[in-house]
Amino acid sequence: GWADYDGWWLAAGTGTTLAGLALAEAGAHPVYGAMAVPDDHGVAQNVRAIAAQGVELLDASRGGFAKVDGALLDFIRTTEQATGLPLEPLYTGKALSALKQQIEAGRFVPGTRLIFVHTGGLQGRRGIKG
C-alpha cells in the first residue's frame, strides 16, 4: 500500500519542502535531501532549525548552484529518453543523478523503496539544448 515505502528523496533548494516532509514524517521514515547549493550556503542549518530529526542531506550541487557539466546533461537526456520524465539541471536532474550515484555506491540495499519527489522547476530546462 501507500505506506509501504522506506524514505523520501528530493532536491533541496532552500530546504523548506524537505523540512516540511521531515516534520510530517516525525521520524517514521527518513527524508534525504540532495542540496542544489554547496553546504556552505546554510541550507542544512535552516532545515535542522525546522526539523531536527529524520533528515539526511548531501551536496548534489556539482560545485555550485546552476553548475552544469556534460555528465549531468548526458544523465538528464538518457533518463528522459528512457522514462519520459522531464528533468532540469538545477534541481531535479541533480537530485536524481545523486540518487543514482548513491544506489551505485551501495548506500541502499536492493529492494529499498524511495519516493522521489519531482519538485518542478522545469523552467530550468530552457538552457538545455536538446
Side-chain angles (χ1 to χ4, degrees), residues 58-75:
L58 67 139
D59 185 341
S61 69
R62 303 178 89 91
F65 182 68
K67 293 278 186 181
V68 178
D69 55 53
L72 177 62
L73 294 178
D74 288 346
F75 170 79

Side-chain angles (χ1 to χ4, degrees), residues 45-66:
Q45 294 85 340
N46 292 344
V47 169
R48 290 190 184 100
I50 299 168
Q53 66 174 354
V55 175
E56 287 191 42
L57 294 165
L58 67 139
D59 185 341
S61 69
R62 303 178 89 91
F65 182 68

Side-chain angles (χ1 to χ4, degrees), residues 35-116:
M35 293 189 295
V37 296
D39 195 37
D40 63 1
H41 281 60
V43 173
Q45 294 85 340
N46 292 344
V47 169
R48 290 190 184 100
I50 299 168
Q53 66 174 354
V55 175
E56 287 191 42
L57 294 165
L58 67 139
D59 185 341
S61 69
R62 303 178 89 91
F65 182 68
K67 293 278 186 181
V68 178
D69 55 53
L72 177 62
L73 294 178
D74 288 346
F75 170 79
I76 290 171
R77 285 188 194 101
T78 301
T79 302
E80 287 182 341
Q81 288 169 359
T83 66
L85 178 69
L87 299 169
E88 46 70 42
L90 304 182
Y91 299 100
T92 56
K94 285 182 176 179
L96 195 56
S97 176
L99 175 56
K100 180 178 185 278
Q101 291 169 352
Q102 292 296 307
I103 291 168
E104 290 171 347
R107 180 170 189 164
F108 300 104
V109 299
T112 300
R113 295 176 53 146
L114 295 176
I115 298 172
F116 180 82

